């Protein structure tokens, strides 16, 4: 017959635990512990605390920093999760010296670090430099769109928001009327009505406050763009998961071990962010003793989203050897000649046929005597505006007359269905010096250009894969650019990433 030891959970056990022994050399938590203790100047936090005469002793910032860094490295996003870990997980208990900080302490520490975070990021960058993790010859820039901690429902132009407020006010009036009727009804129904009424009232107040205190936002083309009532610094932007309300999180990466040199969250498109990112990297590098000319003559690769006249001009002025292709470069590359095999889509969905027989600018001829363009139907297009600039070039715009196009038998080849009833013709201004767009096309189409640009994929894409997929950092949990920037820039994402690089490739002495 089987004989077992008694299963008695009703007993008290005392285990001797050395917190120090939990931090085993060679583990990430040990690296974090050593880095924070020995390489990060924590005196920058001292001025926050004014409790030397009165007040209780605060939890040391190094303890909070260690706990938060380990939590982020493990994909823990919320302060409550971190608080729970500090109660239950021996590694977190060891890093927090058994104090188990409250979730509100953690959240307040995270969201108020914008002043100190630059110094911490530079300290870590200096360690990377001392351990030889920086190569300093090739850099790659990329970005990922991450949702902000807001709802798209609260976005709109000022007119749309006013309309939303009016609708809510109507709803509120209806709910108040129902409330009056519900007075004679049971108490449960009355409570429900009151709750709804209060909710609508708060929403109307919030919208009113926003419309009074904020100004409409305008895009680069002068049109009003959507504001967001909850976080007005975030923006609506297309992402891999459809249109999101969020931020465009950017990172500039060194090629050797994919250490992040600069990271910042923007509410703008990639092509507007190249110069600010390189300037940010210069500041970070200056803090570890690098010259402002650090990027001169070095290779910089970025995808076609960064391709713009302004970006290329900036790189040329800074003497950076940039490789930023235009959106058509794959069509010119013979290696992608058979990409058409995917034209039916991966699940058999047929893509719309390309409109290959549509008229292009080459089908329009210029009449120098009248200073007009003649369309394939022999009609004149007059100059409507000169020197209009877009992301790539400066254009003169010519317009056809709507009545000419309305009766034109060729309009199916000239006007797309979505455009208005007349043809617009954009003619690049040839005299624009220098033509950096064409220079970049020639550079990127060369064998050397293709070879260098191909490195981008292996340098910067794994960084975002590591951060967004492996560490599950796929959304911001704070609001406003200032706080989101702290989350992305140096603490939560880039800082943790760089510490992991030190842990993997560096040897702390
Ligand atoms: S649609 Fe207008 S611009 Fe185009 S060919 Fe006809 S008349 Fe000319």
């Amino acid at each position: 017959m089987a004989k077992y030891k008694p299963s008695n959970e009703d007993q008290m056990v005392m285990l001797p635990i050395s917190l120090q022994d939990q931090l085993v050399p060679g583990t990430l938590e040990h690296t974090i512990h050593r880095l924070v203790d020995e390489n990060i100047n924590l005196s920058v936090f001292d001025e926050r605390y004014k409790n030397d005469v009165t007040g209780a002793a605060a939890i040391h910032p190094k303890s909070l920093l260690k706990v938060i860094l380990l939590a982020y490295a493990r994909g823990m996003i919320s302060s409550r999760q971190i608080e729970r870990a500090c109660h239950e997980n021996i590694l977190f208990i060891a890093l927090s010296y058994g104090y188990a900080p409250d979730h509100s302490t953690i959240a307040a520490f995270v969201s108020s670090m914008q002043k100190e975070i630059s110094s911490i990021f530079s300290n870590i960058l200096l360690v990377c430099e001392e351990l030889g993790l920086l190569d300093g010859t090739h850099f790659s820039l990329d970005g990922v769109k991450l949702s902000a901690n807001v709802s798209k429902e609260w976005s709109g132009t000022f007119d749309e928001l006013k309309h939303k407020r009016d609708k809510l006010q109507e709803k509120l009036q209806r709910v108040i009327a129902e409330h009056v009727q519900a007075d004679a009804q049971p108490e449960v129904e009355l409570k429900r009505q009151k709750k709804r009424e209060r909710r609508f009232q708060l929403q109307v107040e919030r919208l009113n406050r926003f419309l009074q205190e904020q100004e409409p936002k305008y895009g680069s083309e002068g049109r009003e763009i959507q504001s967001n009532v909850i976080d007005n610094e975030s923006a609506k932007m297309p992402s891999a998961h459809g249109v999101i309300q969020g931020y465009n999180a950017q990172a500039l990466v060194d090629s050797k071990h994919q250490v992040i040199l600069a990271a910042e969250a923007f509410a703008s498109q990639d092509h507007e962010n190249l110069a600010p990112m390189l300037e940010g990297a210069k500041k970070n590098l200056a803090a570890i003793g690098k010259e402002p000319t650090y990027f001169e003559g070095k290779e910089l690769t970025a995808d076609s989203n960064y391709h713009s006249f302004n970006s290329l001009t900036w790189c040329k002025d800074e003497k950076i050897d940039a490789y930023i292709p235009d959106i058509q470069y794959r069509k010119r590359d013979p290696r992608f000649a058979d990409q058409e095999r995917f034209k039916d889509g991966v699940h058999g969905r047929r893509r719309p046929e390309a409109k290959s027989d549509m008229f292009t600018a080459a089908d329009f001829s210029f009449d120098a005597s009248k200073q007009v363009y003649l369309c394939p139907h022999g009609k004149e297009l007059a100059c409507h505006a000169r020197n209009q600039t877009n992301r790539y070039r400066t254009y003169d715009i010519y317009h056809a007359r709507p009545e000419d196009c309305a009766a034109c038998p060729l309009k199916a080849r000239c006007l797309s269905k979505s455009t208005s009833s007349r043809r617009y013709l954009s003619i690049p201004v040839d005299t624009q010096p220098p033509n950096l767009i064409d220079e970049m096309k020639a550079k990127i189409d060369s064998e050397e250009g293709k070879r260098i640009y191909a490195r981008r994929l292996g340098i910067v894409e794994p960084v975002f894969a590591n951060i967004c997929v492996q560490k599950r950092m796929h959304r911001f949990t704070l609001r406003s650019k200032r706080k989101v920037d702290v989350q992305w820039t140096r603490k939560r994402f880039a800082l943790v990433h760089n510490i992991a690089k030190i842990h993997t490739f560096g040897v702390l002495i």
Side-chain angles (χ1 to χ4, degrees):
M1 194 170 166
K3 187 174 163 190
Y4 300 112
K5 289 182 188 292
S7 307
N8 179 17
E9 68 275 9
D10 184 22
Q11 56 180 312
M12 304 295 282
V13 179
M14 289 185 74
L15 299 172
I17 293 175
S18 159
L19 292 181
Q20 195 175 14
D21 289 350
Q22 308 309 313
L23 304 171
V24 180
T27 58
L28 180 61
E29 51 273 13
H30 185 260
T31 305
I32 291 173
H33 173 62
R34 290 271 317 268
L35 279 173
V36 174
D37 275 356
E38 298 167 18
N39 298 92
I40 293 181
N41 175 15
L42 292 160
S43 62
V44 288
F45 288 97
D46 287 350
E47 62 185 49
R48 282 182 175 212
Y49 300 95
K50 311 224 180 298
N51 56 349
D52 50 339
V53 181
T54 55
I59 294 179
H60 201 289
K62 73 176 176 185
S63 157
L64 290 171
L65 191 58
K66 286 176 188 179
V67 161
I68 290 164
L69 288 174
L70 182 62
Y72 288 158
R74 295 189 164 196
M76 282 186 206
I77 292 175
S78 86
S79 305
R80 286 175 196 273
Q81 270 182 316
I82 301 172
E83 180 190 346
R84 196 158 53 243
C86 290
H87 284 286
E88 297 171 354
N89 186 314
I90 191 66
L91 295 177
F92 284 85
I93 293 170
L95 289 179
S96 64
Y97 309 109
Y99 289 122
D102 184 70
H103 66 269
S104 56
T105 308
I106 296 167
F109 187 75
V110 170
S111 59
S112 61
M113 281 182 72
Q114 59 274 10
K115 227 169 85 185
E116 298 90 355
I117 202 73
S118 296
S119 142
I120 296 175
F121 187 75
S122 299
N123 292 157
I124 294 297
L125 208 53
L126 184 61
V127 177
C128 293
E129 165 72 359
E130 286 170 351
L131 293 175
L133 304 187
L134 301 184
D135 178 34
T137 58
H138 185 119
F139 309 94
S140 289
L141 176 63
D142 206 354
V144 62
K145 317 277 187 353
L146 297 176
S147 295
N149 189 10
V150 296
S151 165
K152 273 195 292 186
E153 190 197 334
W154 291 97
S155 294
T157 61
F158 264 49
D159 281 345
E160 287 165 350
L161 292 175
K162 279 176 191 162
H163 181 70
K164 187 178 176 69
R165 179 200 54 193
D166 296 343
K167 285 275 175 202
L168 279 169
Q169 251 162 353
E170 276 173 30
K171 269 189 190 173
L172 179 62
Q173 292 311 318
R174 272 205 307 275
V175 171
I176 290 172
E178 284 172 24
H179 186 168
V180 173
Q181 286 173 6
D183 273 346
Q185 291 177 17
E187 197 175 335
V188 181
E189 181 66 14
L190 206 59
K191 269 191 186 165
R192 195 179 63 81
Q193 290 289 350
K194 269 188 187 168
K195 223 171 155 183
R196 281 183 71 204
E197 188 182 318
R198 183 75 190 132
R199 193 174 77 236
F200 286 131
Q201 210 163 18
L202 287 174
Q203 288 176 345
V204 170
E205 280 169 17
R206 171 185 275 176
L207 274 166
N208 270 332
R209 207 168 38 246
F210 180 84
L211 291 167
Q212 279 165 15
E213 292 172 1
Q214 304 292 329
E215 294 290 329
K217 292 198 291 189
Y218 293 93
S220 54
E221 292 173 7
R223 277 201 299 262
E224 186 184 348
I225 56 172
Q226 294 193 345
S227 303
N228 186 277
V229 179
I230 315 286
D231 180 358
N232 200 22
E233 289 172 292
S234 65
K236 261 192 174 172
M237 49 184 74
S239 77
H241 307 288
V243 176
I244 58 161
Q245 182 76 37
Y247 289 90
N248 186 356
Q250 302 276 308
L252 180 74
V253 178
D254 180 272
S255 63
K256 189 174 181 185
H257 285 300
Q258 300 161 316
V259 169
I260 295 176
L261 300 179
E264 191 168 344
F266 298 88
S268 50
Q269 295 301 317
D270 287 341
H271 66 90
E272 297 171 44
N273 301 332
L274 186 139
M277 282 300 297
L278 269 290
E279 289 293 356
K282 277 194 211 170
K283 269 187 207 156
N284 294 338
L285 290 163
I288 62 168
K290 300 287 181 193
E291 296 293 322
T293 53
Y294 185 75
F295 290 108
E296 273 187 22
K298 310 283 175 65
E299 291 167 3
L300 171 73
T301 48
D303 66 24
S304 53
N305 290 333
Y306 293 88
H307 183 90
S308 76
F309 186 73
N310 287 344
S311 296
L312 298 184
T313 307
W314 192 88
C315 288
K316 189 181 171 77
D317 292 346
E318 295 287 316
K319 301 188 180 67
I320 294 171
D321 185 16
Y323 294 82
I324 309 172
D326 57 292
I327 204 163
Q328 298 288 338
Y329 92 103
R330 281 194 172 181
K331 288 193 176 163
R332 299 192 301 272
D333 189 339
R335 293 176 301 173
F336 295 98
D338 63 344
Q339 64 180 340
E340 285 296 301
R341 68 185 188 277
F342 297 114
K343 78 175 195 264
D344 288 343
V346 283
H347 301 300
R349 284 173 299 185
R350 196 156 186 87
R351 291 184 181 174
E353 290 294 328
K355 292 177 181 171
S356 54
D357 61 343
M358 297 295 279
F359 293 135
T360 65
D363 296 308
F364 292 72
S365 58
F366 188 60
D367 184 338
S369 61
K370 293 185 180 174
Q371 291 290 306
V372 294
Y373 271 85
L374 295 175
C375 73
H377 193 45
K379 302 295 180 188
E380 292 179 358
L381 280 76
C383 186
H384 175 72
R386 289 201 186 278
N387 296 324
Q388 301 297 299
T389 51
N390 70 4
R391 181 177 154 184
Y392 305 107
R393 290 202 171 160
T394 305
Y395 288 87
D396 289 343
I397 312 286
Y398 290 79
H399 282 184
R401 295 192 309 160
E403 52 271 35
D404 288 342
C405 296
C408 176
L410 302 175
K411 68 180 174 187
R413 293 183 59 196
C414 198
L415 304 176
S416 82
K417 278 182 188 153
S418 57
T419 59
S420 65
S421 54
R422 65 168 145 181
R423 173 74 191 220
Y424 296 80
L425 188 64
S426 302
I427 303 295
V429 178
D430 292 335
T431 53
Q432 183 180 335
N435 197 335
L436 295 176
I437 301 282
D438 291 339
E439 280 175 21
M440 181 53 71
K441 274 186 192 171
K443 189 175 175 183
I444 211 87
D445 287 349
S446 68
E447 285 309 311
E448 180 69 354
K450 284 176 193 165
R451 187 188 64 76
I452 293 172
Y453 181 67
R455 295 187 64 196
R456 187 199 74 86
L457 201 66
I459 295 170
V460 75
E461 296 293 354
V463 172
F464 286 93
N466 173 40
I467 289 173
C468 299
V469 180
Q470 205 258 334
K471 293 193 166 59
R472 300 198 300 277
M473 295 171 176
H474 40 68
R475 56 186 281 269
F476 292 114
T477 54
L478 299 177
R479 289 171 183 165
S480 82
K481 174 162 171 18
R482 186 172 55 85
K483 291 180 183 175
V484 159
D485 215 23
V486 173
Q487 264 199 317
W488 168 252
T489 305
R490 295 130 191 173
K491 192 154 105 18
R492 182 196 206 185
F493 296 95
L495 195 57
V496 170
H497 175 85
N498 285 354
I499 288 174
K501 290 293 171 188
I502 292 172
H503 170 64
T504 310
F505 299 107
V507 180
L508 286 179
I509 298 160

